[in-house]
Amino acid sequence: MTTTEQRTNILEFKGVSAGYGGVTVCRDVNLTVRPGEVVALIGANGAGKTTTMRTAVGELTPISGQARALGQTRRASLPQLAKRGLSYVTEERSMIMTLTAAENLRLAGVSADAACVIFPDLRPLLRRQAGLLSGGEQQMLTLARALARKPRLLLADELSLGLAPQIVSRLLAVVRSAATSDGVGVLLVEQHVRQVLEVADRVYVMRRGRVIREGTATEIAADLESVQRAYLMGDSD
């Protein structure tokens, strides 16, 4: 990757405010994601993280400010962004539960072999219905499907929701590897703060719809107790 490519923001918010039905949830958000880096967006429930994510993928139009993803400065739909290199993992595991793991991959245009390179544990599960997989297996399938497309930008909202710490570590390690080895830019909304700090390069902390702190993962980790006490505990809109 060249120095110019490393400096290029593949996701950029400039003073973005967004919300629903005329109600502003996120206010004046500034953030960037560059190729090859993992950026964590953390905050308590109701802080505006998912709204920020939905704006990034074109599901919401900014009330003000500019959101640019993969060079798109105008609003683009999620399918349009997907064609340009976006993979989006929502907090709901978006698969058809009555289809097998292999059928879900095929429906997404992803080969089973490519998915199993990312998570070899999927190989014996390919003929099993997705609805019969464990939560961790479902999320491995979802993440493998997203990364096997060779995206330029991965957005993942609560990748670890409801999963055991050991599974979370495996998922985050694969995300880190995709950024380091393949140059994928990653924005993670994550509740397992300590674990995400181990793989993230930079961190944005949200509270009540605003980014109120940002820094490197090392900086945030060094002051984690005060960050959790001030911004991550008991916040709600």
Side-chain angles (χ1 to χ4, degrees), residues 100-151:
T100 66
E103 289 167 339
N104 271 281
L105 292 170
R106 189 159 56 248
L107 189 63
V110 170
S111 77
D113 286 341
C116 292
V117 167
I118 297 169
F119 285 110
D121 288 359
L122 289 175
R123 179 71 66 184
L125 305 175
L126 290 174
R127 295 184 180 181
R128 189 174 301 177
Q129 282 188 350
L132 299 179
L133 302 178
S134 69
E137 291 165 347
Q138 288 178 355
Q139 202 64 310
M140 283 192 287
L141 177 62
T142 299
L143 184 56
R145 182 179 61 184
L147 290 177
R149 295 172 181 154
K150 299 296 182 182

mmCIF file of all heavy atoms in Angstrom, residues 100-151:
data_model
loop_
_atom_site.group_PDB
_atom_site.id
_atom_site.type_symbol
_atom_site.label_atom_id
_atom_site.label_comp_id
_atom_site.label_asym_id
_atom_site.label_seq_id
_atom_site.Cartn_x
_atom_site.Cartn_y
_atom_site.Cartn_z
ATOM 1 N N THR A 100 -29.084 -23.682 4.234
ATOM 2 C CA THR A 100 -27.834 -24.155 4.817
ATOM 3 C C THR A 100 -26.791 -23.040 4.789
ATOM 4 O O THR A 100 -26.948 -22.019 4.115
ATOM 5 C CB THR A 100 -27.278 -25.357 4.041
ATOM 6 O OG1 THR A 100 -26.909 -24.918 2.723
ATOM 7 C CG2 THR A 100 -28.301 -26.484 3.966
ATOM 8 N N ALA A 101 -25.718 -23.259 5.525
ATOM 9 C CA ALA A 101 -24.620 -22.295 5.515
ATOM 10 C C ALA A 101 -24.090 -22.099 4.102
ATOM 11 O O ALA A 101 -23.856 -20.971 3.656
ATOM 12 C CB ALA A 101 -23.504 -22.762 6.453
ATOM 13 N N ALA A 102 -23.916 -23.204 3.372
ATOM 14 C CA ALA A 102 -23.414 -23.122 2.002
ATOM 15 C C ALA A 102 -24.375 -22.356 1.103
ATOM 16 O O ALA A 102 -23.948 -21.566 0.245
ATOM 17 C CB ALA A 102 -23.179 -24.525 1.443
ATOM 18 N N GLU A 103 -25.670 -22.566 1.275
ATOM 19 C CA GLU A 103 -26.657 -21.866 0.455
ATOM 20 C C GLU A 103 -26.663 -20.369 0.751
ATOM 21 O O GLU A 103 -26.830 -19.543 -0.157
ATOM 22 C CB GLU A 103 -28.044 -22.470 0.680
ATOM 23 C CG GLU A 103 -28.195 -23.856 0.064
ATOM 24 C CD GLU A 103 -29.444 -24.585 0.531
ATOM 25 O OE1 GLU A 103 -29.994 -24.228 1.610
ATOM 26 O OE2 GLU A 103 -29.861 -25.520 -0.168
ATOM 27 N N ASN A 104 -26.483 -20.017 2.015
ATOM 28 C CA ASN A 104 -26.394 -18.596 2.362
ATOM 29 C C ASN A 104 -25.182 -17.945 1.703
ATOM 30 O O ASN A 104 -25.254 -16.808 1.221
ATOM 31 C CB ASN A 104 -26.323 -18.424 3.881
ATOM 32 C CG ASN A 104 -27.686 -18.309 4.532
ATOM 33 O OD1 ASN A 104 -28.313 -17.253 4.511
ATOM 34 N ND2 ASN A 104 -28.149 -19.420 5.105
ATOM 35 N N LEU A 105 -24.068 -18.653 1.669
ATOM 36 C CA LEU A 105 -22.877 -18.124 1.008
ATOM 37 C C LEU A 105 -23.109 -17.984 -0.488
ATOM 38 O O LEU A 105 -22.765 -16.958 -1.094
ATOM 39 C CB LEU A 105 -21.686 -19.043 1.284
ATOM 40 C CG LEU A 105 -21.181 -19.088 2.725
ATOM 41 C CD1 LEU A 105 -20.165 -20.209 2.896
ATOM 42 C CD2 LEU A 105 -20.569 -17.748 3.136
ATOM 43 N N ARG A 106 -23.700 -19.017 -1.078
ATOM 44 C CA ARG A 106 -23.939 -18.994 -2.523
ATOM 45 C C ARG A 106 -24.896 -17.869 -2.899
ATOM 46 O O ARG A 106 -24.717 -17.200 -3.922
ATOM 47 C CB ARG A 106 -24.488 -20.348 -2.977
ATOM 48 C CG ARG A 106 -24.571 -20.501 -4.489
ATOM 49 C CD ARG A 106 -24.629 -21.957 -4.906
ATOM 50 N NE ARG A 106 -25.730 -22.679 -4.297
ATOM 51 C CZ ARG A 106 -25.581 -23.656 -3.379
ATOM 52 N NH1 ARG A 106 -24.373 -24.016 -2.974
ATOM 53 N NH2 ARG A 106 -26.634 -24.273 -2.887
ATOM 54 N N LEU A 107 -25.899 -17.633 -2.068
ATOM 55 C CA LEU A 107 -26.863 -16.562 -2.315
ATOM 56 C C LEU A 107 -26.175 -15.199 -2.319
ATOM 57 O O LEU A 107 -26.573 -14.286 -3.055
ATOM 58 C CB LEU A 107 -27.957 -16.591 -1.242
ATOM 59 C CG LEU A 107 -29.178 -15.689 -1.450
ATOM 60 C CD1 LEU A 107 -29.946 -16.104 -2.696
ATOM 61 C CD2 LEU A 107 -30.084 -15.748 -0.222
ATOM 62 N N ALA A 108 -25.112 -15.069 -1.525
ATOM 63 C CA ALA A 108 -24.357 -13.810 -1.460
ATOM 64 C C ALA A 108 -23.254 -13.734 -2.510
ATOM 65 O O ALA A 108 -22.513 -12.742 -2.559
ATOM 66 C CB ALA A 108 -23.751 -13.657 -0.067
ATOM 67 N N GLY A 109 -23.141 -14.765 -3.329
ATOM 68 C CA GLY A 109 -22.103 -14.775 -4.353
ATOM 69 C C GLY A 109 -20.721 -15.051 -3.808
ATOM 70 O O GLY A 109 -19.714 -14.648 -4.405
ATOM 71 N N VAL A 110 -20.649 -15.767 -2.699
ATOM 72 C CA VAL A 110 -19.378 -16.070 -2.032
ATOM 73 C C VAL A 110 -19.132 -17.571 -2.097
ATOM 74 O O VAL A 110 -20.041 -18.366 -1.810
ATOM 75 C CB VAL A 110 -19.413 -15.599 -0.563
ATOM 76 C CG1 VAL A 110 -18.208 -16.106 0.205
ATOM 77 C CG2 VAL A 110 -19.491 -14.081 -0.497
ATOM 78 N N SER A 111 -17.933 -17.977 -2.440
ATOM 79 C CA SER A 111 -17.634 -19.403 -2.493
ATOM 80 C C SER A 111 -17.407 -19.961 -1.087
ATOM 81 O O SER A 111 -16.878 -19.278 -0.209
ATOM 82 C CB SER A 111 -16.398 -19.665 -3.351
ATOM 83 O OG SER A 111 -15.210 -19.346 -2.646
ATOM 84 N N ALA A 112 -17.813 -21.201 -0.903
ATOM 85 C CA ALA A 112 -17.612 -21.857 0.387
ATOM 86 C C ALA A 112 -16.131 -21.976 0.714
ATOM 87 O O ALA A 112 -15.718 -21.821 1.870
ATOM 88 C CB ALA A 112 -18.279 -23.234 0.382
ATOM 89 N N ASP A 113 -15.319 -22.229 -0.301
ATOM 90 C CA ASP A 113 -13.879 -22.362 -0.069
ATOM 91 C C ASP A 113 -13.283 -21.067 0.467
ATOM 92 O O ASP A 113 -12.466 -21.081 1.393
ATOM 93 C CB ASP A 113 -13.166 -22.764 -1.364
ATOM 94 C CG ASP A 113 -13.412 -24.218 -1.740
ATOM 95 O OD1 ASP A 113 -13.811 -24.995 -0.846
ATOM 96 O OD2 ASP A 113 -13.216 -24.567 -2.910
ATOM 97 N N ALA A 114 -13.692 -19.939 -0.104
ATOM 98 C CA ALA A 114 -13.176 -18.647 0.360
ATOM 99 C C ALA A 114 -13.593 -18.378 1.794
ATOM 100 O O ALA A 114 -12.801 -17.874 2.603
ATOM 101 C CB ALA A 114 -13.673 -17.528 -0.555
ATOM 102 N N ALA A 115 -14.836 -18.713 2.137
ATOM 103 C CA ALA A 115 -15.310 -18.511 3.502
ATOM 104 C C ALA A 115 -14.565 -19.400 4.487
ATOM 105 O O ALA A 115 -14.236 -18.982 5.606
ATOM 106 C CB ALA A 115 -16.808 -18.779 3.576
ATOM 107 N N CYS A 116 -14.267 -20.628 4.076
ATOM 108 C CA CYS A 116 -13.596 -21.569 4.966
ATOM 109 C C CYS A 116 -12.115 -21.258 5.135
ATOM 110 O O CYS A 116 -11.500 -21.696 6.113
ATOM 111 C CB CYS A 116 -13.794 -23.001 4.477
ATOM 112 S SG CYS A 116 -15.509 -23.576 4.608
ATOM 113 N N VAL A 117 -11.540 -20.516 4.222
ATOM 114 C CA VAL A 117 -10.178 -20.036 4.425
ATOM 115 C C VAL A 117 -10.154 -19.057 5.603
ATOM 116 O O VAL A 117 -9.234 -19.052 6.424
ATOM 117 C CB VAL A 117 -9.636 -19.357 3.148
ATOM 118 C CG1 VAL A 117 -8.356 -18.570 3.437
ATOM 119 C CG2 VAL A 117 -9.374 -20.399 2.077
ATOM 120 N N ILE A 118 -11.186 -18.243 5.697
ATOM 121 C CA ILE A 118 -11.272 -17.257 6.771
ATOM 122 C C ILE A 118 -11.594 -17.933 8.097
ATOM 123 O O ILE A 118 -10.964 -17.637 9.129
ATOM 124 C CB ILE A 118 -12.342 -16.197 6.419
ATOM 125 C CG1 ILE A 118 -11.920 -15.451 5.152
ATOM 126 C CG2 ILE A 118 -12.552 -15.224 7.575
ATOM 127 C CD1 ILE A 118 -13.002 -14.580 4.553
ATOM 128 N N PHE A 119 -12.561 -18.831 8.096
ATOM 129 C CA PHE A 119 -12.938 -19.594 9.293
ATOM 130 C C PHE A 119 -12.997 -21.076 8.932
ATOM 131 O O PHE A 119 -14.030 -21.574 8.479
ATOM 132 C CB PHE A 119 -14.298 -19.144 9.839
ATOM 133 C CG PHE A 119 -14.284 -17.836 10.568
ATOM 134 C CD1 PHE A 119 -14.889 -16.724 10.017
ATOM 135 C CD2 PHE A 119 -13.663 -17.710 11.808
ATOM 136 C CE1 PHE A 119 -14.886 -15.514 10.676
ATOM 137 C CE2 PHE A 119 -13.652 -16.495 12.478
ATOM 138 C CZ PHE A 119 -14.260 -15.396 11.909
ATOM 139 N N PRO A 120 -11.908 -21.829 9.109
ATOM 140 C CA PRO A 120 -11.914 -23.257 8.774
ATOM 141 C C PRO A 120 -12.989 -24.056 9.516
ATOM 142 O O PRO A 120 -13.439 -25.088 9.004
ATOM 143 C CB PRO A 120 -10.503 -23.706 9.189
ATOM 144 C CG PRO A 120 -9.666 -22.469 9.084
ATOM 145 C CD PRO A 120 -10.564 -21.352 9.509
ATOM 146 N N ASP A 121 -13.415 -23.574 10.681
ATOM 147 C CA ASP A 121 -14.438 -24.284 11.444
ATOM 148 C C ASP A 121 -15.775 -24.367 10.704
ATOM 149 O O ASP A 121 -16.640 -25.163 11.091
ATOM 150 C CB ASP A 121 -14.670 -23.592 12.795
ATOM 151 C CG ASP A 121 -13.513 -23.786 13.759
ATOM 152 O OD1 ASP A 121 -12.534 -24.473 13.384
ATOM 153 O OD2 ASP A 121 -13.564 -23.254 14.875
ATOM 154 N N LEU A 122 -15.942 -23.559 9.676
ATOM 155 C CA LEU A 122 -17.200 -23.581 8.928
ATOM 156 C C LEU A 122 -17.315 -24.808 8.022
ATOM 157 O O LEU A 122 -18.421 -25.192 7.635
ATOM 158 C CB LEU A 122 -17.347 -22.317 8.081
ATOM 159 C CG LEU A 122 -17.608 -21.008 8.823
ATOM 160 C CD1 LEU A 122 -17.596 -19.840 7.833
ATOM 161 C CD2 LEU A 122 -18.931 -21.053 9.577
ATOM 162 N N ARG A 123 -16.186 -25.420 7.664
ATOM 163 C CA ARG A 123 -16.192 -26.507 6.685
ATOM 164 C C ARG A 123 -17.183 -27.621 7.040
ATOM 165 O O ARG A 123 -18.013 -28.009 6.195
ATOM 166 C CB ARG A 123 -14.783 -27.070 6.527
ATOM 167 C CG ARG A 123 -14.661 -28.220 5.548
ATOM 168 C CD ARG A 123 -14.824 -27.794 4.109
ATOM 169 N NE ARG A 123 -13.729 -26.923 3.668
ATOM 170 C CZ ARG A 123 -13.689 -26.351 2.474
ATOM 171 N NH1 ARG A 123 -14.678 -26.554 1.600
ATOM 172 N NH2 ARG A 123 -12.677 -25.576 2.133
ATOM 173 N N PRO A 124 -17.162 -28.172 8.274
ATOM 174 C CA PRO A 124 -18.112 -29.250 8.577
ATOM 175 C C PRO A 124 -19.549 -28.763 8.791
ATOM 176 O O PRO A 124 -20.455 -29.587 8.980
ATOM 177 C CB PRO A 124 -17.550 -29.858 9.865
ATOM 178 C CG PRO A 124 -16.773 -28.756 10.493
ATOM 179 C CD PRO A 124 -16.202 -27.962 9.365
ATOM 180 N N LEU A 125 -19.761 -27.458 8.750
ATOM 181 C CA LEU A 125 -21.088 -26.904 9.017
ATOM 182 C C LEU A 125 -21.820 -26.478 7.752
ATOM 183 O O LEU A 125 -22.958 -26.021 7.818
ATOM 184 C CB LEU A 125 -20.965 -25.684 9.946
ATOM 185 C CG LEU A 125 -20.229 -25.895 11.267
ATOM 186 C CD1 LEU A 125 -20.083 -24.562 12.005
ATOM 187 C CD2 LEU A 125 -20.958 -26.914 12.134
ATOM 188 N N LEU A 126 -21.202 -26.645 6.598
ATOM 189 C CA LEU A 126 -21.745 -26.071 5.372
ATOM 190 C C LEU A 126 -23.115 -26.631 5.002
ATOM 191 O O LEU A 126 -23.947 -25.928 4.423
ATOM 192 C CB LEU A 126 -20.764 -26.294 4.213
ATOM 193 C CG LEU A 126 -19.470 -25.481 4.295
ATOM 194 C CD1 LEU A 126 -18.514 -25.894 3.174
ATOM 195 C CD2 LEU A 126 -19.759 -23.984 4.217
ATOM 196 N N ARG A 127 -23.365 -27.886 5.343
ATOM 197 C CA ARG A 127 -24.651 -28.497 4.982
ATOM 198 C C ARG A 127 -25.710 -28.339 6.076
ATOM 199 O O ARG A 127 -26.841 -28.809 5.913
ATOM 200 C CB ARG A 127 -24.456 -29.982 4.675
ATOM 201 C CG ARG A 127 -23.586 -30.228 3.446
ATOM 202 C CD ARG A 127 -23.506 -31.706 3.123
ATOM 203 N NE ARG A 127 -22.671 -31.960 1.946
ATOM 204 C CZ ARG A 127 -22.443 -33.166 1.440
ATOM 205 N NH1 ARG A 127 -23.005 -34.241 2.005
ATOM 206 N NH2 ARG A 127 -21.668 -33.298 0.373
ATOM 207 N N ARG A 128 -25.354 -27.666 7.141
ATOM 208 C CA ARG A 128 -26.294 -27.482 8.257
ATOM 209 C C ARG A 128 -27.106 -26.211 8.042
ATOM 210 O O ARG A 128 -26.601 -25.199 7.574
ATOM 211 C CB ARG A 128 -25.528 -27.392 9.576
ATOM 212 C CG ARG A 128 -26.420 -27.424 10.812
ATOM 213 C CD ARG A 128 -25.597 -27.475 12.084
ATOM 214 N NE ARG A 128 -24.731 -28.661 12.102
ATOM 215 C CZ ARG A 128 -23.869 -28.921 13.078
ATOM 216 N NH1 ARG A 128 -23.735 -28.067 14.101
ATOM 217 N NH2 ARG A 128 -23.134 -30.014 13.030
ATOM 218 N N GLN A 129 -28.393 -26.263 8.403
ATOM 219 C CA GLN A 129 -29.226 -25.066 8.316
ATOM 220 C C GLN A 129 -28.654 -23.972 9.213
ATOM 221 O O GLN A 129 -28.227 -24.228 10.344
ATOM 222 C CB GLN A 129 -30.660 -25.365 8.744
ATOM 223 C CG GLN A 129 -31.497 -26.066 7.692
ATOM 224 C CD GLN A 129 -32.964 -26.150 8.096
ATOM 225 O OE1 GLN A 129 -33.330 -25.853 9.234
ATOM 226 N NE2 GLN A 129 -33.809 -26.557 7.164
ATOM 227 N N ALA A 130 -28.676 -22.735 8.709
ATOM 228 C CA ALA A 130 -28.121 -21.622 9.478
ATOM 229 C C ALA A 130 -28.826 -21.475 10.823
ATOM 230 O O ALA A 130 -28.199 -21.110 11.820
ATOM 231 C CB ALA A 130 -28.245 -20.331 8.672
ATOM 232 N N GLY A 131 -30.120 -21.761 10.856
ATOM 233 C CA GLY A 131 -30.869 -21.632 12.103
ATOM 234 C C GLY A 131 -30.460 -22.627 13.168
ATOM 235 O O GLY A 131 -30.802 -22.452 14.343
ATOM 236 N N LEU A 132 -29.745 -23.688 12.777
ATOM 237 C CA LEU A 132 -29.304 -24.693 13.736
ATOM 238 C C LEU A 132 -27.868 -24.455 14.204
ATOM 239 O O LEU A 132 -27.361 -25.210 15.040
ATOM 240 C CB LEU A 132 -29.420 -26.093 13.113
ATOM 241 C CG LEU A 132 -30.836 -26.521 12.697
ATOM 242 C CD1 LEU A 132 -30.810 -27.906 12.082
ATOM 243 C CD2 LEU A 132 -31.778 -26.492 13.908
ATOM 244 N N LEU A 133 -27.234 -23.438 13.676
ATOM 245 C CA LEU A 133 -25.882 -23.099 14.122
ATOM 246 C C LEU A 133 -25.946 -22.346 15.444
ATOM 247 O O LEU A 133 -26.931 -21.671 15.749
ATOM 248 C CB LEU A 133 -25.179 -22.231 13.072
ATOM 249 C CG LEU A 133 -25.026 -22.802 11.665
ATOM 250 C CD1 LEU A 133 -24.349 -21.775 10.759
ATOM 251 C CD2 LEU A 133 -24.240 -24.100 11.685
ATOM 252 N N SER A 134 -24.885 -22.428 16.202
ATOM 253 C CA SER A 134 -24.805 -21.639 17.428
ATOM 254 C C SER A 134 -24.651 -20.167 17.070
ATOM 255 O O SER A 134 -24.350 -19.812 15.902
ATOM 256 C CB SER A 134 -23.621 -22.089 18.274
ATOM 257 O OG SER A 134 -22.395 -21.736 17.638
ATOM 258 N N GLY A 135 -24.817 -19.294 18.061
ATOM 259 C CA GLY A 135 -24.651 -17.867 17.802
ATOM 260 C C GLY A 135 -23.266 -17.533 17.281
ATOM 261 O O GLY A 135 -23.111 -16.723 16.356
ATOM 262 N N GLY A 136 -22.251 -18.164 17.857
ATOM 263 C CA GLY A 136 -20.891 -17.924 17.403
ATOM 264 C C GLY A 136 -20.662 -18.415 15.993
ATOM 265 O O GLY A 136 -19.985 -17.751 15.184
ATOM 266 N N GLU A 137 -21.229 -19.573 15.657
ATOM 267 C CA GLU A 137 -21.091 -20.118 14.295
ATOM 268 C C GLU A 137 -21.812 -19.238 13.287
ATOM 269 O O GLU A 137 -21.309 -19.005 12.181
ATOM 270 C CB GLU A 137 -21.623 -21.544 14.260
ATOM 271 C CG GLU A 137 -20.753 -22.534 15.036
ATOM 272 C CD GLU A 137 -21.443 -23.857 15.314
ATOM 273 O OE1 GLU A 137 -22.691 -23.945 15.135
ATOM 274 O OE2 GLU A 137 -20.754 -24.813 15.716
ATOM 275 N N GLN A 138 -22.987 -18.735 13.661
ATOM 276 C CA GLN A 138 -23.709 -17.831 12.774
ATOM 277 C C GLN A 138 -22.899 -16.563 12.502
ATOM 278 O O GLN A 138 -22.839 -16.083 11.366
ATOM 279 C CB GLN A 138 -25.060 -17.453 13.387
ATOM 280 C CG GLN A 138 -26.080 -18.575 13.393
ATOM 281 C CD GLN A 138 -27.381 -18.165 14.050
ATOM 282 O OE1 GLN A 138 -27.513 -17.072 14.589
ATOM 283 N NE2 GLN A 138 -28.363 -19.056 14.014
ATOM 284 N N GLN A 139 -22.261 -16.044 13.536
ATOM 285 C CA GLN A 139 -21.505 -14.816 13.331
ATOM 286 C C GLN A 139 -20.221 -15.071 12.538
ATOM 287 O O GLN A 139 -19.785 -14.215 11.766
ATOM 288 C CB GLN A 139 -21.190 -14.151 14.670
ATOM 289 C CG GLN A 139 -20.886 -12.667 14.583
ATOM 290 C CD GLN A 139 -22.053 -11.830 14.093
ATOM 291 O OE1 GLN A 139 -22.673 -12.127 13.073
ATOM 292 N NE2 GLN A 139 -22.346 -10.772 14.822
ATOM 293 N N MET A 140 -19.613 -16.248 12.707
ATOM 294 C CA MET A 140 -18.474 -16.600 11.856
ATOM 295 C C MET A 140 -18.913 -16.666 10.401
ATOM 296 O O MET A 140 -18.198 -16.194 9.506
ATOM 297 C CB MET A 140 -17.866 -17.938 12.295
ATOM 298 C CG MET A 140 -16.995 -17.848 13.536
ATOM 299 S SD MET A 140 -16.035 -19.351 13.836
ATOM 300 C CE MET A 140 -17.321 -20.466 14.409
ATOM 301 N N LEU A 141 -20.078 -17.253 10.155
ATOM 302 C CA LEU A 141 -20.610 -17.331 8.793
ATOM 303 C C LEU A 141 -20.863 -15.931 8.241
ATOM 304 O O LEU A 141 -20.506 -15.628 7.094
ATOM 305 C CB LEU A 141 -21.905 -18.148 8.791
ATOM 306 C CG LEU A 141 -22.646 -18.267 7.456
ATOM 307 C CD1 LEU A 141 -21.790 -18.974 6.417
ATOM 308 C CD2 LEU A 141 -23.975 -19.010 7.657
ATOM 309 N N THR A 142 -21.457 -15.066 9.048
ATOM 310 C CA THR A 142 -21.758 -13.701 8.611
ATOM 311 C C THR A 142 -20.486 -12.932 8.290
ATOM 312 O O THR A 142 -20.397 -12.251 7.260
ATOM 313 C CB THR A 142 -22.548 -12.969 9.713
ATOM 314 O OG1 THR A 142 -23.771 -13.654 9.951
ATOM 315 C CG2 THR A 142 -22.860 -11.543 9.301
ATOM 316 N N LEU A 143 -19.486 -13.029 9.160
ATOM 317 C CA LEU A 143 -18.245 -12.289 8.940
ATOM 318 C C LEU A 143 -17.451 -12.872 7.775
ATOM 319 O O LEU A 143 -16.872 -12.128 6.980
ATOM 320 C CB LEU A 143 -17.401 -12.300 10.220
ATOM 321 C CG LEU A 143 -16.112 -11.479 10.183
ATOM 322 C CD1 LEU A 143 -16.386 -10.026 9.819
ATOM 323 C CD2 LEU A 143 -15.396 -11.560 11.529
ATOM 324 N N ALA A 144 -17.431 -14.196 7.661
ATOM 325 C CA ALA A 144 -16.748 -14.823 6.527
ATOM 326 C C ALA A 144 -17.384 -14.394 5.213
ATOM 327 O O ALA A 144 -16.682 -14.105 4.235
ATOM 328 C CB ALA A 144 -16.783 -16.343 6.665
ATOM 329 N N ARG A 145 -18.702 -14.342 5.181
ATOM 330 C CA ARG A 145 -19.412 -13.901 3.981
ATOM 331 C C ARG A 145 -19.040 -12.463 3.626
ATOM 332 O O ARG A 145 -18.828 -12.125 2.460
ATOM 333 C CB ARG A 145 -20.926 -14.009 4.218
ATOM 334 C CG ARG A 145 -21.794 -13.633 3.043
ATOM 335 C CD ARG A 145 -23.262 -13.789 3.388
ATOM 336 N NE ARG A 145 -23.656 -12.932 4.497
ATOM 337 C CZ ARG A 145 -24.876 -12.935 5.043
ATOM 338 N NH1 ARG A 145 -25.790 -13.769 4.592
ATOM 339 N NH2 ARG A 145 -25.156 -12.135 6.037
ATOM 340 N N ALA A 146 -18.918 -11.603 4.642
ATOM 341 C CA ALA A 146 -18.577 -10.191 4.409
ATOM 342 C C ALA A 146 -17.146 -10.029 3.912
ATOM 343 O O ALA A 146 -16.880 -9.251 2.989
ATOM 344 C CB ALA A 146 -18.781 -9.396 5.694
ATOM 345 N N LEU A 147 -16.219 -10.768 4.500
ATOM 346 C CA LEU A 147 -14.805 -10.587 4.155
ATOM 347 C C LEU A 147 -14.398 -11.354 2.901
ATOM 348 O O LEU A 147 -13.441 -10.957 2.223
ATOM 349 C CB LEU A 147 -13.930 -11.006 5.329
ATOM 350 C CG LEU A 147 -13.986 -10.084 6.550
ATOM 351 C CD1 LEU A 147 -13.140 -10.642 7.684
ATOM 352 C CD2 LEU A 147 -13.531 -8.675 6.195
ATOM 353 N N ALA A 148 -15.100 -12.431 2.588
ATOM 354 C CA ALA A 148 -14.765 -13.198 1.381
ATOM 355 C C ALA A 148 -15.049 -12.402 0.114
ATOM 356 O O ALA A 148 -14.540 -12.738 -0.959
ATOM 357 C CB ALA A 148 -15.535 -14.518 1.359
ATOM 358 N N ARG A 149 -15.832 -11.339 0.219
ATOM 359 C CA ARG A 149 -16.089 -10.468 -0.928
ATOM 360 C C ARG A 149 -14.899 -9.555 -1.222
ATOM 361 O O ARG A 149 -14.933 -8.779 -2.162
ATOM 362 C CB ARG A 149 -17.320 -9.598 -0.650
ATOM 363 C CG ARG A 149 -18.615 -10.358 -0.506
ATOM 364 C CD ARG A 149 -19.709 -9.413 -0.041
ATOM 365 N NE ARG A 149 -20.994 -10.079 0.143
ATOM 366 C CZ ARG A 149 -21.938 -9.660 0.978
ATOM 367 N NH1 ARG A 149 -21.728 -8.574 1.705
ATOM 368 N NH2 ARG A 149 -23.072 -10.323 1.084
ATOM 369 N N LYS A 150 -13.876 -9.610 -0.374
ATOM 370 C CA LYS A 150 -12.694 -8.760 -0.513
ATOM 371 C C LYS A 150 -13.080 -7.276 -0.517
ATOM 372 O O LYS A 150 -12.792 -6.523 -1.457
ATOM 373 C CB LYS A 150 -11.912 -9.091 -1.789
ATOM 374 C CG LYS A 150 -11.384 -10.511 -1.824
ATOM 375 C CD LYS A 150 -10.364 -10.746 -0.712
ATOM 376 C CE LYS A 150 -9.785 -12.137 -0.770
ATOM 377 N NZ LYS A 150 -8.826 -12.407 0.333
ATOM 378 N N PRO A 151 -13.733 -6.818 0.538
ATOM 379 C CA PRO A 151 -14.181 -5.426 0.558
ATOM 380 C C PRO A 151 -13.022 -4.458 0.767
ATOM 381 O O PRO A 151 -11.950 -4.830 1.243
ATOM 382 C CB PRO A 151 -15.124 -5.397 1.766
ATOM 383 C CG PRO A 151 -14.539 -6.418 2.697
ATOM 384 C CD PRO A 151 -14.049 -7.523 1.786
#
